[in-house]
Amino acid sequence: MSSEKHSARSEPPEHRDGIIGDLLAEKDKLEDRLMELDDVPLLLVYTHLSGDEALMQRYAPHVKGAWAFEVDDVPELKRELCQALIATLADYTESGRPLPPAPPVDKLQRMCNASVGTQVPEEYMAMVLEELNFDRTDAKTVKWRKQPSPAFLDDFKVVVIGAGYSGLAMATKLKQAGIPFVMIEKNEDVGGTWFENTYPGIAVDTPNHFYSYSFRVKPDWDHFFSTGPEIIDYIRTCYAEMDIGEETRFNEEVVSAIWDKQGHRWDVTVRRKDGSEYAIRANAVITGVGLLNNPAVPDFPGRDRFKGPMFHSARWDHSVDLEGKRVVQVGTGASGMQLGPMIAPEVEHLTIFQRSPHWARHNPLLYAKVSDAMKWGLANIPYYNKWYRYQLLWATSDLVLPNLHKDPDWPEPERSLNAANDEVRQQLIAHISEQVNHDPELLAKLIPDFPPYGKRMLRDSNWYSALTRENVELVTGAVKEITETGVIDKDGIEHPADVIVLATGFKAQTPIYPMNVVGTKGSIRDAWGEDDPRAYLGITVPDFPNMFILYGPGTNGGHGGSAVYNSECQVRYTMLALREMIEREADRVEVRPEPFEEYINTVDAEHAKLVWTHPGVKNWYRNKAGRVVTNSPWPLSKYRNLTANFDPDDYIIEPA
Ligand code: NAP
């Protein structure tokens, strides 16, 4: 289902012919350059290329964790490594040998363990092999098992809704497979949430060398954690390379999708910017609208009385100049924590309303720039970018999950979940304390009374230090009322404001809203009620045939990982389902109620063991009844395994 044209474009640089020879042409400079690179990916490259594990074993005691800053400074060992790597590269050049395939699983596991300072489970290996794609088999791309009939395929039509990260990944795979589709995007450009969120300080908090498509690796990110504009640039570049311009329709919004029970097609209504509408008849509908696209604007008493500008963080009004203004910011989640410190230096006064505190971790790479040496290494050293991606994959995801499990024997269940979680708590408190100069009043406001990870773990984007500024005040508790000139707190004190910024999050429990999606028995709103979305693997829903959801209910990676990774899993699964449909020339593919119910029960049971259902925790992951509706409870490796195959027995599949 893939074409040469596309796979060639996304070819990683290490596969270019002669690259090793080019490197060695600058042999005198090579050692100095290698010395500037991160130790662990270099070590893994050397181990992989040379087959020698002895150096790796000597390095292992110096590797304390998966981040570069968790590796001891060992210059002599590193020089030895660099020299050994140069000799290995020279050997490849002289012998003309091709680069080796992926290491065998037992060796891979030893490499994974030694390079992140911990035991990586065996279940993780399939995922690593696939993600790093050493063998260039691109296992995530679904291939036809038998050539579909041209007549059936030509007549087949898919509607993809949304041109964000997920929609674009879907579209490129459909294009590669030759499945006809249109992609409808309500905005004037690609990017989805990254297009819409332009507040000051916007940046990703998952490292970009992992938070990016596996099929479009970018070696020259300027930052480890890129800003919004850098990410939009990347998405635009990917879009341009995907060659899907003809299939994309901007400034158009899907308002409804109604299943035709007789004809087994979706009747999709699309509204243009001028208000006119048109219809598309489609075999399948794939929504890539995301969970975080409907801003939650609280209905504060007096909200309409305020005389100045008031806007949501996801709808930032760039026409409003904040310089010298008194600003009230409501909300201290991921968005609020990034934007507050950015606007604090320019405003006259910033009052921040914090309903409840979040936990935030320090990461020294958060604002660091990627060095030129590192960019060069990622682009030129064979397999360096792959092993670096592996390191980040582990650092940001499944390493963390055991921390989130409730230990039934843990003696302090109010403050933490288990010994490791308690240790994280102590580290976080020490960091906050240091950042606020041990100010007891601020500390009392800032230390959450729930275990770490109960809400999304944030990164300290200079948040705590910003709160020590003279022009910043942190007000705790709810907003009581908004007046013409300010915001009244829970104690009845009015805080004057020229501008109010609402960093109050999103309506994540009502995905696919406000589209009117009607399946065989009624609308998706009826099926899910007010706030109880459910989907098999987060992707398919009984009574909604031929509909697939990307980044749907129960798929948000609450413990970490990259939303792009999860999306790619969902895209593959959707492609497998479409393949089944097209090869069988089927009309209808609909998940059966039994596997769906069983899956939801398993998910709920797993959530009961995790921090998000801790009694002291309130977060946007749970609905009013307390059910976790947005998050996946699974390690990435498990979610990958669940979605890597399509079991036709889970579905009603009807021939055309
Ligand atoms: P959020 O995490 O839901 O935070 C919303 C904030 O507004 C919370 O502090 C919340 O208080 C407060 N709030 C909500 N309603 C309120 C009310 N009626 N009165 C007073 N305060 C109220 O939203 P977000 O910060 O936009 O982030 C949402 C998600 O988007 C994140 O979890 C993340 O997944 C994603 N995101 C990621 C990044 C990144 O990668 N760096 C950046 C931004 C967003 P409570 O905590 O008490 O509910």
Side-chain angles (χ1 to χ4, degrees):
M1 286 171 104
S2 62
S3 78
E4 276 306 303
K5 190 173 156 202
H6 287 272
S7 55
R9 279 192 182 130
S10 55
E11 193 82 339
E14 68 268 23
H15 295 125
R16 292 197 314 250
D17 288 341
I19 187 70
I20 295 176
D22 291 351
L23 277 178
L24 293 169
E26 301 185 75
K27 208 168 177 176
D28 51 333
K29 289 194 221 144
L30 195 52
E31 189 175 318
D32 291 344
R33 280 198 176 178
L34 294 182
M35 282 298 285
E36 287 185 59
L37 302 181
D38 283 357
D39 303 45
V40 166
L42 269 188
L43 180 66
L44 293 170
V45 169
Y46 168 71
T47 309
H48 190 176
L49 263 51
S50 69
D52 165 29
E53 294 182 47
L55 202 49
M56 182 175 82
Q57 297 311 337
R58 284 166 58 210
Y59 243 97
H62 301 288
V63 180
K64 309 283 163 45
W67 293 97
F69 50 82
E70 293 173 314
V71 180
D72 292 340
D73 190 19
V74 282
E76 281 174 25
L77 196 53
K78 189 165 183 185
R79 194 160 291 283
E80 191 182 330
L81 165 65
C82 295
Q83 289 168 354
L85 180 56
I86 291 171
T88 303
L89 293 173
D91 185 47
Y92 270 89
T93 305
E94 281 154 24
S95 65
R97 267 188 296 149
L99 294 176
V105 170
D106 56 339
K107 180 172 178 186
L108 178 71
Q109 200 176 359
R110 288 197 295 279
M111 291 173 75
C112 288
N113 293 345
S115 60
V116 297
T118 188
Q119 291 293 312
V120 180
E122 199 180 336
E123 305 86 84
Y124 209 68
M125 296 305 122
M127 172 181 162
V128 173
L129 284 174
E130 182 176 280
E131 184 69 7
L132 305 192
N133 190 26
F134 287 111
D135 301 329
R136 285 190 285 161
T137 50
D138 194 5
K140 279 200 207 163
T141 293
V142 176
K143 312 221 169 32
W144 294 115
R145 292 166 300 193
K146 65 171 194 178
Q147 209 47 42
S149 115
F152 188 82
L153 191 59
D154 286 354
D155 214 29
F156 202 84
K157 185 149 203 174
V158 177
V159 172
V160 178
I161 310 172
Y165 253 121
S166 305
L168 289 172
M170 191 72 241
T172 194
K173 297 295 176 187
L174 289 167
K175 178 93 180 183
Q176 285 174 3
I179 299 175
F181 71 98
V182 285
M183 182 166 60
I184 310 290
E185 168 54 57
K186 70 176 163 33
N187 294 322
E188 65 192 46
D189 201 351
V190 292
T193 193
W194 291 105
F195 176 82
E196 291 177 358
N197 283 264
T198 59
Y199 59 78
I202 181 157
V204 68
D205 61 7
T206 306
N208 266 118
H209 297 89
F210 174 43
Y211 185 84
S212 46
Y213 294 125
S214 64
F215 55 86
R216 211 295 183 175
V217 171
K218 175 177 159 64
D220 58 346
W221 289 105
D222 282 331
H223 292 93
F224 298 95
F225 298 90
S226 298
T227 62
E230 288 172 281
I231 293 170
I232 272 289
D233 269 2
Y234 168 74
I235 298 175
R236 283 190 183 127
T237 307
C238 293
Y239 173 65
E241 290 179 0
M242 285 169 179
D243 188 21
I244 50 175
E246 270 183 32
E247 290 87 350
T248 312
R249 299 180 189 171
F250 291 115
N251 291 316
E252 296 187 358
E253 183 168 359
V254 171
V255 287
S256 67
I258 316 275
W259 177 250
D260 172 354
K261 285 189 241 177
Q262 271 74 47
H264 286 184
R265 295 285 184 279
W266 283 100
D267 287 313
V268 179
T269 303
V270 183
R271 185 179 297 147
R272 301 186 185 91
K273 264 270 179 304
D274 64 8
S276 62
E277 294 184 350
Y278 68 94
I280 307 176
R281 204 161 157 79
N283 300 66
V285 166
I286 303 170
T287 97
V289 299
L291 278 180
L292 304 171
N293 65 345
N294 280 314
V297 178
D299 196 10
F300 295 125
R303 193 177 77 182
D304 298 332
R305 294 204 334 248
F306 185 63
K307 291 265 193 262
M310 176 164 64
F311 47 85
H312 190 274
S313 55
R315 300 286 180 270
W316 195 264
D317 185 345
H318 290 276
S319 70
V320 177
D321 182 3
L322 296 183
E323 195 172 342
K325 301 274 175 27
R326 295 164 307 172
V327 176
V328 167
Q329 170 186 328
V330 184
T332 59
S335 305
M337 223 178 238
Q338 288 185 327
L339 75 89
M342 284 303 282
I343 62 173
E346 68 174 301
V347 302
E348 183 197 299
H349 192 269
L350 177 62
T351 309
I352 299 173
F353 273 73
Q354 173 192 268
R355 189 166 64 178
S356 59
H358 287 61
W359 290 108
R361 274 193 116 144
H362 170 62
N363 186 306
L365 297 177
L366 191 60
Y367 292 113
K369 286 198 85 172
V370 181
S371 68
D372 288 343
M374 180 96 171
K375 286 186 197 170
W376 170 85
L378 288 164
N380 291 292
I381 301 289
Y383 292 163
Y384 187 82
N385 66 351
K386 291 182 183 293
W387 285 114
Y388 183 55
R389 195 171 171 101
Y390 158 69
Q391 229 190 330
L392 296 175
L393 175 72
W394 180 249
T396 61
S397 61
D398 294 354
L399 160 73
V400 176
L401 195 54
N403 242 323
L404 278 63
H405 274 262
K406 298 170 191 163
D407 173 353
D409 300 325
W410 182 243
E412 313 259 19
E414 288 83 28
R415 54 181 237 162
S416 52
L417 305 170
N418 54 48
N421 185 265
D422 200 63
E423 201 182 318
V424 171
R425 184 187 173 94
Q426 299 311 323
Q427 290 164 2
L428 294 169
I429 292 174
H431 173 70
I432 302 171
S433 184
E434 190 200 337
Q435 291 297 303
V436 300
N437 307 319
H438 313 288
D439 176 339
E441 206 182 313
L442 267 179
L443 272 174
K445 292 177 177 177
L446 289 171
I447 297 177
D449 58 5
F450 55 85
Y453 296 99
K455 296 177 195 270
R456 182 183 158 100
M457 177 63 74
L458 304 181
R459 299 211 184 270
D460 176 13
S461 45
N462 299 324
W463 172 249
Y464 298 113
S465 59
L467 299 177
T468 66
R469 292 176 63 95
E470 293 223 324
N471 69 336
V472 176
E473 183 188 5
L474 184 67
V475 176
T476 54
V479 168
K480 191 170 177 197
E481 191 179 342
I482 295 189
T483 67
E484 289 185 1
T485 52
V487 182
I488 299 180
D489 69 21
K490 64 176 190 320
D491 301 321
I493 298 166
E494 178 167 359
H495 299 265
D498 302 312
V499 180
I500 298 175
V501 172
L502 301 172
T504 44
F506 298 87
K507 295 175 187 162
Q509 292 129 20
T510 48
I512 325 189
Y513 186 83
M515 261 185 288
N516 181 31
V517 178
V518 180
T520 56
K521 295 193 182 147
S523 84
I524 196 82
R525 303 265 81 86
D526 296 336
W528 287 349
E530 193 192 345
D531 61 359
D532 198 11
R534 296 156 183 248
Y536 179 58
L537 304 172
I539 304 171
T540 50
V541 185
D543 308 325
F544 293 83
N546 305 2
M547 181 178 92
F548 305 92
I549 308 172
L550 308 176
Y551 196 17
T555 64
N556 182 58
H559 71 284
S562 147
V564 184
Y565 182 81
N566 287 5
S567 279
E568 286 190 14
C569 290
Q570 293 140 20
V571 165
R572 166 168 49 194
Y573 186 82
T574 303
M575 287 301 292
L576 289 166
L578 292 177
R579 176 176 74 175
E580 199 69 41
M581 244 185 119
I582 293 168
E583 287 183 354
R584 290 191 193 202
E585 303 200 356
D587 237 5
R588 174 171 160 233
V589 174
E590 181 184 335
V591 67
R592 294 180 187 278
E594 302 79 16
F596 163 81
E597 294 292 349
E598 195 187 325
Y599 180 74
I600 299 297
N601 291 340
T602 323
V603 164
D604 288 350
E606 194 65 19
H607 276 309
K609 302 177 199 159
L610 290 167
V611 65
W612 306 308
T613 52
H614 189 276
V617 173
K618 285 192 183 134
N619 51 40
W620 60 260
Y621 307 149
R622 299 169 84 177
N623 64 10
K624 288 202 186 78
R627 190 176 161 262
V628 178
V629 294
T630 60
N631 282 13
S632 162
W634 310 124
L636 294 198
S637 49
K638 172 148 185 176
Y639 189 62
R640 180 252 165 218
N641 292 345
L642 287 169
T643 52
N645 296 296
F646 177 84
D647 184 350
D649 291 344
D650 290 341
Y651 285 78
I652 302 156
I653 303 181
E654 271 187 41

